[in-house]
Amino acid sequence: MKLQNNDQDDLKYLSKFMVGLQQDQERLHDIQAKYDHLTLLGQMLSAGTDITSMRTDFNALAGILLSQLANELYNKAILNLKSTARIAIDILIRNLFERTADIGFLATDSDTRDYAQACEQDPLAARQDDPRRAALQARFKEYVLKYSVYHDIILLAPDGTILLRLNGDSAGAPSKDPLITASLTTTDAYVETFRPTDLLPGEGSPLIYSYRVMSKDGSRPVGVLCLCFRFQDECQRIFGSLVSESDWTVVTILDADGRIIASSDAYQFPVGAKIAQVKDDACRVTRFAGREYLATTQPTQGYQGYMGPGWQGHSLAPLNHAFEMAIAHEIARVPEPILAGVLETANLFPPDLRAIPLRAASIQRELNRAVWNGNVWLSRDSHALNTSFAKVLLREIGNTGVHTLDVFSQSTTNLYKTVVSAVLYNCSLQAALAIDIMDRNLYERANDCRWWALTSAFREVLDQPDEVHEQQRQRLGAILTGINRLYTVYHNLMIFDRAAKVVAVSNQAYSHMLGTTLQAAWVMPTLSLTDSQNYYVSAFEPSELYAGRHSYIYSAALPALNGTGMAVGGVAIVFDSAPQLRAMLLDALPRNRDGSFVEGAFSVFAERNGHIIASSDEAITPGTTLAIGREFFDLNSGEGYANIIEFHGRYYGVGSRMSSGYREYKSDVDAYRNDVVALVLVPLSQHLRQSDVHGSAQRQAHNDYSPYRPSGDDVAEVASFYVGDGWYGIRLEYEIEAIDEQPITRIPEAPSWIHGCIVYHDRVVPIIDLSSFLPSAAAAAGHRQVVVIRVPGNQMCFGFIVDELGDTREISLSHLEAVPTSLGGSTALIESLVKPQREDPDQRILMILSVQQLMERLSLLESMVQSAALQ
């Protein structure tokens, strides 16, 4: 993602706050100063050392590198802000979607309906001491014990009179709130109200879901039911999972007008304050209370068509702290060999990023060539002035080239690490989102089975000595079908009696099970439950109740009406795990800017032993094992882990998070335990790193050969170079110049050792393929250069391709060992050898080529070359 408006100006301003950029800036500025000085000195010396073009190239490349670094640091910072804003609003909207089903179900509850109708017919039913009132209040209390997202339930008469409320006194003037009329007349399934109301005075803007309660015959409304949601409490839970105490990010929820309705830091951004929204999926600098923030506003993606009340997530970070998250901490634990492999093979880096090290290497080649040619010129020109100073200058230019490549390598590595760490950070964030969605979703399942187990109609039928007859079965089946219609996350709902015989089902595909006895392992533990707060969950395993597929079955006991706690049967709800769990994982899967999934990425839910529960990739089936390191699974509750692994022939970034439950679900007050890990895996490359045969370390200078004239000895001045694995040299008795590789024209019918020809100073010059003659001279891959030789007093000029330039040396003649020409073969072109002066098996032999032998071979081709020039 790039900055959208005034890119360079914005990036330049924001880079002032990027601590991770400063070290790279300092290193590049230091080298930039060296280039300025060396360019000036080279121009003054005029010894073939003018590096003006290299200086220009360096400055341009340094600017590109710093710009890319700043852009990637910006990208990671906004990834944090946009993700937290989007996750905050999406999780909230998911929660509210569940509430829209709750109000529809509870408003049709027979106990609620009967009491409202009784109050219509007998005003005394609303008195504090009426047993009917106490019974419904106890029922509402049971409801909130299970669905703890609500803090109050209010039942109103159509005229606004409070018939009963869970918390507080029902006395007082009738409510005049417009939600009453809206609830009585709406054609929707619920009314959603978020504003001050006389129903909850002094509570600011409570969130209430309401709907009408109809008479038993359905002819008229007899009341309005209101569920009062713990909005601020829920928002703080969401914020707490997204923002740590050390994080400077502030997450808020905004209404449609841009007013803050919930804030993770009410001291910086108080509820009720109006704030500038950042539209069009961007991230911008905004001001609030005299301080600058990097901010973004994210709309909800909705859930199953429900888009909520028009609210948005909004995240901000103070500019002086906004880029702290961009530092690449996530890769600290990645093993060096794997990280090196990722940086070499990752497909995350666009062409402009990959071009940076190539352009840096090009600058170094140009500098090396300038140094090489300068040394050759100094060695050949006996009248050169300031020779000693020139050699020092050339040495400094050479060192600057090495330093340039090193700094660009470090800075580019930092750039790549930032990109990779952003992927790891996103994997961790998405894994945390996936497990949070799962815990919240299954919390609702635990609530549903316990609440439906308290349904009076179920208990009345089963709490009798006679066997259930067909009419009763049909009635109970109709209730289950109605519930299943509201709660579509279930594949089937089932009621069974105290003998474990199936009494009713919601899914008619299982009607053949009516009257059969359930044998599953979860049945008897369910019937032994004696507390209405308890429930039982099956293992995640194949079940005949889910067509042989893997699923969770949540169950609760139906308590006897006499209050003894004895079970008269049970209710089982079969979670439609295949589509539901996969949908959760898809919601948590990393996406590209256009909304498409990152290619090759997948997410899974797995048990602690690695057995897969569900996957976003349909090819990965439940019950199989995800064969990756134990460190991704051996986690404490709520703990996360991220790293890079080798998996199926590729590098993957992996983030995992252990479940921690939600509210009472899987908490200290809940007996149920089930460790589930969410993992998000994103491919970083198409293949693993291949071993490097021709490493740069193989071509480092060999300093065991003295480059200076030994006292009292005659010397040979040699310019060296590398071809393949071989280290070769040419005596500086000839005019020699290194040039960049040129387009080479093939010569028809020329022998295989002639590579072709080039035009050099208006002359046609043949190019020899040394690999045809020399040992260990197989050409290496990569950018190569051409060495051109002109023989004094002879019109002949030729060249050959080298893989890399070495240095120039003054070698004592006593160290040269002649190679007899009588040996012939590949040694015919080598006139002498220079062996290392100390015992070191890693040091190489310098092989001095015979220019005379090359000339003799070329003399036969002069006519061919001239013919090619005329064509």
Side-chain angles (χ1 to χ4, degrees):
M1 175 176 179
K2 297 186 181 296
L3 295 168
Q4 299 297 313
N5 299 312
N6 302 318
D7 286 8
Q8 295 306 316
D9 291 341
D10 289 347
L11 197 58
K12 185 176 180 180
Y13 179 68
L14 291 175
S15 66
K16 299 175 184 178
F17 303 94
M18 298 176 180
V19 177
L21 188 65
Q22 294 174 3
Q23 187 176 6
D24 293 292
Q25 285 178 320
E26 292 171 1
R27 284 199 299 255
L28 289 168
H29 289 161
D30 288 345
I31 296 184
Q32 199 167 37
K34 285 187 178 181
Y35 271 93
D36 292 341
H37 291 124
L38 292 174
T39 300
L40 178 61
L41 292 173
Q43 290 171 341
M44 293 171 60
L45 188 63
S46 299
T49 54
D50 187 358
I51 60 170
T52 302
S53 63
M54 286 79 97
R55 172 187 175 229
T56 302
D57 291 343
F58 171 84
N59 290 341
L61 188 57
I64 292 172
L65 178 58
L66 290 174
S67 177
Q68 290 288 354
L69 277 166
N71 198 67
E72 291 306 324
L73 290 170
Y74 171 81
N75 284 345
K76 190 175 179 187
I78 65 171
L79 171 64
N80 171 52
L81 290 176
K82 294 180 73 172
S83 296
T84 53
R86 176 178 52 80
I87 290 172
I89 190 61
D90 282 346
I91 287 181
L92 179 60
I93 294 305
R94 273 179 167 269
N95 195 315
L96 301 188
F97 171 77
E98 296 281 354
R99 312 294 62 93
T100 63
D102 289 348
I103 185 62
F105 175 73
L106 195 57
T108 60
D109 180 75
S110 59
D111 294 317
T112 304
R113 179 199 63 210
D114 292 346
Y115 180 74
Q117 190 162 346
C119 289
E120 178 189 54
Q121 298 168 355
D122 179 9
L124 294 179
R127 290 177 52 173
Q128 294 284 344
D129 57 353
D130 190 283
R132 292 170 293 182
R133 185 179 189 281
L136 186 61
Q137 191 158 33
R139 185 162 173 76
F140 283 173
K141 184 178 181 181
E142 282 278 5
Y143 189 84
V144 171
L145 280 172
K146 294 159 181 61
Y147 297 90
S148 58
V149 293
Y150 301 112
H151 67 89
D152 203 356
I153 302 176
I154 305 172
L155 180 62
L156 303 164
D159 64 358
T161 300
I162 297 178
L163 301 178
L164 184 151
R165 70 184 311 158
L166 179 63
N167 299 326
D169 191 357
S170 301
S175 172
K176 301 298 183 183
D177 196 294
L179 73 79
I180 298 171
T181 300
S183 301
L184 292 170
T185 59
T186 183
T187 57
D188 296 326
Y190 60 90
V191 172
E192 198 171 42
T193 304
F194 183 75
R195 53 171 169 72
T197 173
D198 59 9
L199 291 169
L200 296 167
E203 289 199 18
S205 295
L207 178 59
I208 299 175
Y209 287 86
S210 59
Y211 198 66
R212 57 184 169 268
V213 179
M214 299 299 291
S215 61
K216 189 172 183 177
D217 61 7
S219 63
R220 66 190 186 284
V222 292
V224 171
L225 185 69
C226 300
L227 293 177
C228 305
F229 183 66
R230 297 181 186 271
F231 174 71
Q232 291 298 336
D233 174 73
E234 176 62 19
C235 287
Q236 294 309 313
R237 288 175 182 270
I238 294 172
F239 299 152
S241 68
L242 294 172
V243 183
S244 65
E245 291 184 3
S246 60
D247 195 344
W248 287 86
T249 303
V250 179
V251 188
T252 62
I253 303 295
L254 307 182
D255 65 13
D257 296 325
R259 201 168 297 279
I260 297 172
I261 57 177
S263 172
S264 67
D265 189 339
Y267 294 101
Q268 285 194 75
F269 293 90
V271 171
K274 194 166 185 178
I275 195 168
Q277 300 179 68
V278 181
K279 299 287 189 178
D280 63 33
D281 195 40
C283 219
R284 295 200 187 93
V285 177
T286 61
R287 291 185 179 182
F288 185 81
R291 193 176 190 184
E292 287 186 311
Y293 294 84
L294 191 63
T296 186
T297 308
Q298 296 293 307
T300 180
Q301 300 179 73
Y303 182 61
Q304 297 194 11
Y306 173 72
M307 301 302 293
W311 299 339
Q312 302 172 95
H314 186 82
S315 289
L316 313 92
L319 271 190
N320 56 325
H321 294 288
F323 301 98
E324 291 177 358
M325 288 291 293
I327 300 174
H329 297 304
E330 291 79 10
I331 59 175
R333 62 165 62 99
V334 179
E336 280 300 325
I338 289 184
L339 182 58
V342 171
L343 298 184
E344 182 178 312
T345 63
N347 53 10
L348 306 170
F349 316 128
D352 50 353
L353 265 65
R354 288 195 171 278
I356 291 175
L358 299 178
R359 291 184 60 182
S362 175
I363 293 173
Q364 190 203 26
R365 280 196 305 273
E366 291 183 40
L367 288 171
N368 287 348
R369 190 164 60 247
V371 171
W372 200 83
N373 287 333
N375 277 315
V376 168
W377 180 85
L378 289 172
S379 299
R380 191 176 66 241
D381 191 349
S382 59
H383 301 291
L385 301 176
N386 298 319
T387 302
S388 298
F389 173 72
K391 288 187 175 181
V392 172
L393 175 61
L394 290 169
R395 192 177 305 119
E396 281 301 309
I397 292 175
N399 290 338
T400 300
V402 173
H403 195 193
T404 296
L405 193 61
D406 180 60
V407 168
F408 271 113
S409 176
Q410 290 182 46
S411 297
T412 305
T413 298
N414 290 343
L415 174 59
Y416 287 177
K417 285 181 177 179
T418 300
V419 177
V420 173
S421 72
V423 175
L424 273 186
Y425 170 77
N426 199 28
C427 286
S428 297
L429 193 68
Q430 297 303 112
L433 171 62
I435 201 63
D436 191 40
I437 292 174
M438 184 184 193
D439 281 343
R440 287 167 173 271
N441 190 294
L442 298 186
Y443 157 84
E444 302 288 348
R445 313 300 58 99
N447 294 341
D448 291 346
C449 72
R450 291 180 295 170
W451 175 248
W452 296 334
L454 296 179
T455 303
S456 298
F458 300 160
R459 297 162 66 190
E460 289 169 356
V461 170
L462 294 181
D463 194 6
Q464 60 183 4
D466 299 330
E467 189 169 336
V468 179
H469 54 72
E470 183 59 28
Q471 186 176 3
Q472 291 172 321
R473 288 179 188 273
Q474 292 181 3
R475 179 188 170 213
L476 298 184
I479 295 174
L480 291 179
T481 300
I483 296 173
N484 209 161
R485 191 178 297 115
L486 283 172
Y487 294 84
T488 57
V489 298
Y490 298 114
H491 176 72
N492 191 19
L493 308 179
M494 180 177 292
I495 296 172
F496 52 95
D497 63 18
R498 57 171 61 90
K501 288 185 179 181
V502 178
V503 173
V505 296
S506 66
N507 187 340
Q508 293 308 303
Y510 294 88
S511 59
H512 64 280
M513 297 191 69
L514 294 173
T516 62
T517 300
L518 297 172
Q519 302 292 334
W522 51 267
V523 177
M524 296 314 296
T526 301
L527 290 172
S528 66
L529 297 175
T530 58
D531 189 326
S532 64
Q533 281 298 99
N534 292 336
Y535 60 99
Y536 196 86
V537 187
S538 73
F540 190 80
E541 59 190 6
S543 172
E544 63 175 337
L545 303 182
Y546 195 49
R549 295 174 293 171
H550 286 72
S551 186
Y552 290 118
I553 298 175
Y554 283 74
S555 56
L558 295 170
L561 293 172
N562 59 16
T564 61
M566 297 297 293
V568 297
V571 59
I573 57 180
V574 183
F575 184 52
D576 196 4
S577 64
Q580 294 299 324
L581 294 179
R582 185 168 184 267
M584 297 177 202
L585 291 169
L586 289 174
D587 282 350
L589 205 59
R591 295 174 182 264
N592 298 309
R593 285 197 65 196
D594 61 2
S596 62
F597 294 125
V598 173
E599 184 178 359
F602 66 97
S603 50
V604 301
F605 291 129
E607 296 173 331
R608 188 179 284 276
N609 59 9
H611 289 173
I612 291 174
I613 292 172
S615 172
S616 63
D617 184 348
E618 292 181 324
I620 302 174
T621 57
T624 57
T625 300
L626 185 63
I628 61 175
R630 292 301 314 161
E631 60 272 19
F632 293 98
F633 302 93
D634 293 337
L635 304 171
N636 296 323
S637 175
E639 187 179 7
Y641 182 81
N643 210 329
I644 298 173
I645 63 171
E646 296 178 1
F647 184 69
H648 290 179
R650 304 167 77 176
Y651 295 108
Y652 275 82
V654 185
S656 68
R657 181 65 66 94
M658 177 63 73
S659 61
S660 59
Y662 170 65
R663 292 185 178 270
E664 301 79 28
Y665 179 65
K666 292 202 284 190
S667 70
D668 293 339
V669 299
D670 189 358
Y672 178 55
R673 289 291 179 273
N674 182 34
D675 290 337
V676 176
V677 180
L679 300 104
V680 174
L681 294 88
V682 174
L684 304 177
S685 67
Q686 295 298 326
H687 56 82
L688 298 179
R689 183 187 192 188
Q690 303 297 317
S691 59
D692 187 5
V693 178
H694 298 287
S696 60
Q698 295 176 333
R699 294 179 182 162
Q700 294 179 357
H702 302 279
N703 293 320
D704 289 325
Y705 302 91
S706 173
Y708 304 110
R709 183 188 302 271
S711 176
D713 276 351
D714 291 331
V715 297
E717 293 184 287
V718 175
S720 70
F721 49 87
Y722 299 89
V723 181
D725 290 334
W727 187 29
Y728 301 94
I730 293 286
R731 289 195 185 215
L732 294 182
E733 301 167 356
Y734 313 97
E735 294 182 17
I736 303 173
E737 182 181 2
I739 61 175
D740 201 14
E741 185 176 18
Q742 306 285 322
I744 295 178
T745 303
R746 298 292 180 180
I747 301 175
E749 300 181 3
S752 60
W753 53 272
I754 292 294
H755 196 68
C757 62
I758 64 171
V759 176
Y760 171 75
H761 292 320
D762 298 326
R763 294 185 60 177
V764 178
V765 177
I767 303 300
I768 298 174
D769 180 6
L770 293 179
S771 63
S772 299
F773 303 114
L774 302 177
S776 305
H783 195 98
R784 297 183 292 173
Q785 303 184 69
V786 176
V787 172
V788 179
I789 299 176
R790 182 185 293 112
V791 182
N794 189 311
Q795 295 300 314
M796 183 169 287
C797 183
F798 64 92
F800 47 83
I801 296 174
V802 303
D803 295 317
E804 190 172 327
L805 297 172
D807 55 10
T808 58
R809 296 176 177 273
E810 294 179 335
I811 300 173
S812 173
L813 293 180
S814 63
H815 292 164
L816 295 178
E817 295 185 15
V819 177
T821 57
S822 60
L823 293 178
S826 63
T827 61
L829 293 183
I830 300 174
E831 69 173 35
S832 58
L833 305 174
V834 186
K835 295 182 179 179
Q837 298 305 299
R838 69 179 185 182
E839 295 297 328
D840 187 346
D842 293 330
Q843 294 295 326
R844 298 190 195 177
I845 295 174
L846 174 61
M847 295 170 278
I848 310 300
L849 297 183
S850 170
V851 174
Q852 188 64 35
Q853 286 290 328
L854 290 170
M855 290 171 55
E856 290 179 5
R857 291 173 186 263
L858 284 167
S859 61
L860 301 175
L861 296 171
E862 187 172 351
S863 60
M864 290 185 184
V865 172
Q866 296 303 325
S867 174
L870 295 174
Q871 291 180 0

Coordinates of all heavy atoms in Angstrom, one line a residue, residues 723-760:
V723 N 37.6 -15.7 -13.6 CA 36.8 -16.4 -14.6 C 36.3 -17.7 -14.0 O 37.2 -18.6 -13.7 CB 37.5 -16.6 -15.9 CG1 36.5 -17.3 -16.9 CG2 38.0 -15.3 -16.5
G724 N 35.1 -17.9 -13.7 CA 34.6 -19.1 -13.0 C 35.3 -19.1 -11.7 O 35.3 -18.2 -10.9
D725 N 35.8 -20.3 -11.3 CA 36.5 -20.5 -10.0 C 38.0 -20.1 -10.1 O 38.7 -20.2 -9.1 CB 36.4 -21.9 -9.6 CG 35.0 -22.2 -9.1 OD1 34.2 -21.3 -8.7 OD2 34.6 -23.4 -9.2
G726 N 38.4 -19.7 -11.3 CA 39.9 -19.5 -11.5 C 40.3 -18.0 -11.3 O 39.5 -17.1 -11.6
W727 N 41.5 -17.8 -10.7 CA 42.0 -16.5 -10.5 C 43.2 -16.3 -11.5 O 44.2 -17.0 -11.4 CB 42.5 -16.4 -9.1 CG 42.9 -15.0 -8.7 CD1 42.5 -13.8 -9.1 CD2 43.9 -14.6 -7.6 NE1 43.1 -12.7 -8.5 CE2 43.9 -13.2 -7.6 CE3 44.7 -15.4 -6.8 CZ2 44.8 -12.5 -6.7 CZ3 45.5 -14.7 -5.9 CH2 45.5 -13.3 -5.9
Y728 N 43.1 -15.3 -12.4 CA 44.0 -15.1 -13.5 C 44.6 -13.7 -13.5 O 44.0 -12.8 -12.8 CB 43.4 -15.4 -14.8 CG 42.8 -16.8 -14.9 CD1 41.5 -17.1 -14.6 CD2 43.6 -17.9 -15.3 CE1 41.0 -18.4 -14.6 CE2 43.1 -19.2 -15.3 CZ 41.8 -19.4 -15.0 OH 41.3 -20.7 -15.1
G729 N 45.7 -13.5 -14.2 CA 46.3 -12.2 -14.3 C 46.9 -12.0 -15.7 O 47.2 -12.9 -16.4
I730 N 47.1 -10.7 -16.0 CA 47.8 -10.3 -17.2 C 48.9 -9.3 -16.8 O 48.6 -8.4 -16.0 CB 46.8 -9.6 -18.2 CG1 45.8 -10.6 -18.7 CG2 47.6 -8.9 -19.3 CD1 46.3 -11.5 -19.7
R731 N 50.1 -9.5 -17.4 CA 51.2 -8.5 -17.1 C 50.8 -7.2 -17.7 O 50.3 -7.1 -18.8 CB 52.5 -9.0 -17.7 CG 53.1 -10.2 -16.9 CD 54.5 -10.3 -17.3 NE 55.1 -11.5 -16.8 CZ 56.4 -11.6 -16.4 NH1 57.2 -10.5 -16.5 NH2 56.9 -12.7 -15.9
L732 N 51.2 -6.1 -16.9 CA 50.9 -4.7 -17.4 C 51.9 -4.2 -18.4 O 52.3 -3.0 -18.3 CB 50.8 -3.8 -16.2 CG 49.6 -4.1 -15.2 CD1 49.5 -3.2 -14.1 CD2 48.3 -4.1 -16.0
E733 N 52.3 -5.1 -19.3 CA 53.2 -4.6 -20.4 C 52.4 -4.2 -21.6 O 52.9 -3.7 -22.6 CB 54.1 -5.8 -20.8 CG 55.0 -6.3 -19.7 CD 55.6 -7.7 -20.1 OE1 55.3 -8.2 -21.1 OE2 56.4 -8.2 -19.3
Y734 N 51.1 -4.3 -21.4 CA 50.2 -4.0 -22.5 C 49.2 -3.0 -22.1 O 49.0 -2.7 -20.9 CB 49.4 -5.3 -22.9 CG 50.3 -6.5 -23.1 CD1 50.5 -7.4 -22.0 CD2 51.0 -6.7 -24.3 CE1 51.3 -8.5 -22.2 CE2 51.9 -7.8 -24.4 CZ 52.0 -8.7 -23.4 OH 52.9 -9.8 -23.5
E735 N 48.5 -2.4 -23.1 CA 47.4 -1.4 -22.8 C 46.2 -2.2 -22.5 O 45.7 -3.0 -23.3 CB 47.2 -0.5 -24.0 CG 48.4 0.4 -24.3 CD 48.1 1.3 -25.4 OE1 46.9 1.5 -25.8 OE2 49.0 1.9 -26.0
I736 N 45.7 -2.1 -21.2 CA 44.6 -2.9 -20.8 C 43.5 -2.0 -20.2 O 43.8 -1.0 -19.5 CB 45.0 -3.9 -19.7 CG1 46.2 -4.8 -20.2 CG2 43.9 -4.8 -19.2 CD1 46.8 -5.7 -19.1
E737 N 42.3 -2.3 -20.5 CA 41.1 -1.6 -20.0 C 40.0 -2.5 -19.8 O 39.7 -3.3 -20.6 CB 40.7 -0.4 -20.9 CG 39.6 0.4 -20.4 CD 39.2 1.5 -21.3 OE1 39.7 1.6 -22.4 OE2 38.3 2.3 -20.9
A738 N 39.3 -2.3 -18.6 CA 38.1 -3.1 -18.3 C 36.9 -2.2 -18.7 O 36.8 -1.0 -18.4 CB 38.0 -3.4 -16.9
I739 N 35.9 -2.8 -19.4 CA 34.7 -2.1 -19.8 C 33.5 -2.9 -19.4 O 33.7 -4.1 -19.2 CB 34.7 -1.7 -21.3 CG1 34.7 -3.0 -22.1 CG2 35.8 -0.8 -21.7 CD1 34.6 -2.8 -23.6
D740 N 32.4 -2.3 -19.4 CA 31.2 -3.0 -19.0 C 30.8 -4.0 -20.2 O 31.2 -3.7 -21.4 CB 30.0 -2.1 -18.8 CG 28.9 -2.7 -18.0 OD1 29.1 -3.8 -17.4 OD2 27.8 -2.1 -17.9
E741 N 30.2 -5.1 -19.9 CA 29.8 -6.1 -20.9 C 29.0 -5.4 -22.0 O 28.0 -4.7 -21.8 CB 29.0 -7.2 -20.3 CG 28.8 -8.3 -21.3 CD 28.1 -9.5 -20.6 OE1 27.5 -9.4 -19.5 OE2 28.1 -10.6 -21.2
Q742 N 29.4 -5.6 -23.3 CA 28.8 -5.0 -24.4 C 28.0 -6.1 -25.2 O 28.2 -7.3 -25.1 CB 29.9 -4.5 -25.4 CG 30.9 -3.6 -24.7 CD 30.4 -2.2 -24.5 OE1 29.6 -1.7 -25.4 NE2 30.7 -1.6 -23.4
P743 N 27.1 -5.6 -26.0 CA 26.4 -6.5 -26.9 C 27.4 -7.1 -27.9 O 28.2 -6.4 -28.5 CB 25.4 -5.7 -27.7 CG 25.2 -4.5 -26.8 CD 26.5 -4.3 -26.1
I744 N 27.5 -8.4 -28.0 CA 28.5 -9.1 -28.7 C 27.9 -9.7 -30.0 O 26.8 -10.4 -30.0 CB 29.1 -10.3 -27.9 CG1 29.9 -9.6 -26.7 CG2 30.1 -11.1 -28.7 CD1 30.5 -10.6 -25.8
T745 N 28.5 -9.4 -31.1 CA 28.1 -10.0 -32.4 C 28.8 -11.3 -32.7 O 30.0 -11.4 -32.6 CB 28.4 -8.9 -33.5 OG1 27.8 -7.7 -33.2 CG2 27.9 -9.4 -34.9
R746 N 28.0 -12.3 -33.1 CA 28.6 -13.6 -33.4 C 29.3 -13.5 -34.7 O 28.9 -12.8 -35.7 CB 27.5 -14.6 -33.5 CG 26.8 -14.8 -32.2 CD 27.7 -15.4 -31.1 NE 27.0 -15.7 -29.9 CZ 27.6 -16.2 -28.8 NH1 28.8 -16.5 -28.8 NH2 26.9 -16.3 -27.7
I747 N 30.4 -14.3 -34.9 CA 31.2 -14.3 -36.1 C 30.9 -15.6 -36.8 O 31.1 -16.7 -36.2 CB 32.7 -14.2 -35.8 CG1 33.0 -12.9 -35.1 CG2 33.5 -14.3 -37.1 CD1 34.5 -12.8 -34.7
P748 N 30.3 -15.6 -38.0 CA 30.0 -16.8 -38.7 C 31.2 -17.7 -38.9 O 32.3 -17.2 -39.2 CB 29.4 -16.3 -40.0 CG 29.0 -14.9 -39.8 CD 30.0 -14.4 -38.8
E749 N 31.1 -19.0 -38.7 CA 32.1 -20.0 -38.9 C 33.3 -19.9 -38.1 O 34.3 -20.5 -38.3 CB 32.5 -20.0 -40.4 CG 31.3 -20.3 -41.4 CD 31.8 -20.4 -42.8 OE1 33.0 -20.2 -43.1 OE2 30.9 -20.5 -43.7
A750 N 33.2 -19.0 -37.0 CA 34.4 -18.9 -36.1 C 34.4 -20.1 -35.2 O 33.4 -20.8 -35.0 CB 34.2 -17.6 -35.3
P751 N 35.6 -20.4 -34.7 CA 35.8 -21.6 -33.8 C 35.0 -21.3 -32.5 O 34.7 -20.2 -32.2 CB 37.3 -21.7 -33.6 CG 37.8 -20.4 -34.0 CD 36.9 -19.8 -35.0
S752 N 34.8 -22.4 -31.8 CA 34.0 -22.3 -30.6 C 34.6 -21.4 -29.5 O 33.9 -20.9 -28.6 CB 33.7 -23.7 -30.0 OG 35.0 -24.3 -29.7
W753 N 35.9 -21.2 -29.5 CA 36.6 -20.4 -28.5 C 36.5 -18.9 -28.8 O 37.0 -18.1 -28.0 CB 38.0 -20.8 -28.3 CG 38.9 -20.9 -29.5 CD1 39.0 -21.9 -30.4 CD2 39.7 -19.8 -30.1 NE1 39.9 -21.7 -31.4 CE2 40.3 -20.3 -31.2 CE3 40.0 -18.5 -29.7 CZ2 41.2 -19.6 -32.0 CZ3 40.9 -17.8 -30.4 CH2 41.4 -18.3 -31.6
I754 N 35.9 -18.6 -29.9 CA 35.6 -17.1 -30.2 C 34.2 -16.9 -29.8 O 33.2 -17.4 -30.4 CB 35.9 -16.8 -31.7 CG1 37.4 -16.9 -32.0 CG2 35.4 -15.4 -32.0 CD1 38.2 -15.9 -31.2
H755 N 34.0 -16.0 -28.9 CA 32.6 -15.7 -28.4 C 31.9 -14.7 -29.4 O 30.7 -14.7 -29.4 CB 32.7 -15.0 -27.0 CG 31.4 -15.0 -26.3 ND1 30.8 -16.1 -25.8 CD2 30.6 -13.9 -25.9 CE1 29.7 -15.8 -25.2 NE2 29.6 -14.5 -25.2
G756 N 32.7 -13.9 -30.1 CA 32.1 -13.0 -31.0 C 33.0 -11.7 -31.1 O 34.2 -11.8 -30.9
C757 N 32.4 -10.6 -31.4 CA 33.2 -9.4 -31.5 C 32.4 -8.2 -31.0 O 31.1 -8.2 -31.0 CB 33.7 -9.2 -32.9 SG 32.4 -8.9 -34.2
I758 N 33.1 -7.1 -30.7 CA 32.5 -5.9 -30.2 C 33.2 -4.7 -31.0 O 34.2 -4.9 -31.5 CB 32.6 -5.6 -28.7 CG1 34.0 -5.5 -28.3 CG2 31.9 -6.7 -28.0 CD1 34.2 -5.0 -26.8
V759 N 32.5 -3.5 -30.9 CA 33.2 -2.3 -31.5 C 33.7 -1.5 -30.3 O 33.0 -1.2 -29.3 CB 32.1 -1.5 -32.2 CG1 32.8 -0.2 -32.7 CG2 31.6 -2.2 -33.4
Y760 N 35.1 -1.3 -30.3 CA 35.8 -0.6 -29.2 C 36.6 0.5 -29.8 O 37.5 0.2 -30.6 CB 36.6 -1.6 -28.5 CG 37.5 -1.1 -27.5 CD1 37.1 -0.6 -26.2 CD2 38.9 -1.0 -27.7 CE1 37.9 -0.1 -25.3 CE2 39.8 -0.5 -26.8 CZ 39.3 0.0 -25.6 OH 40.2 0.5 -24.6

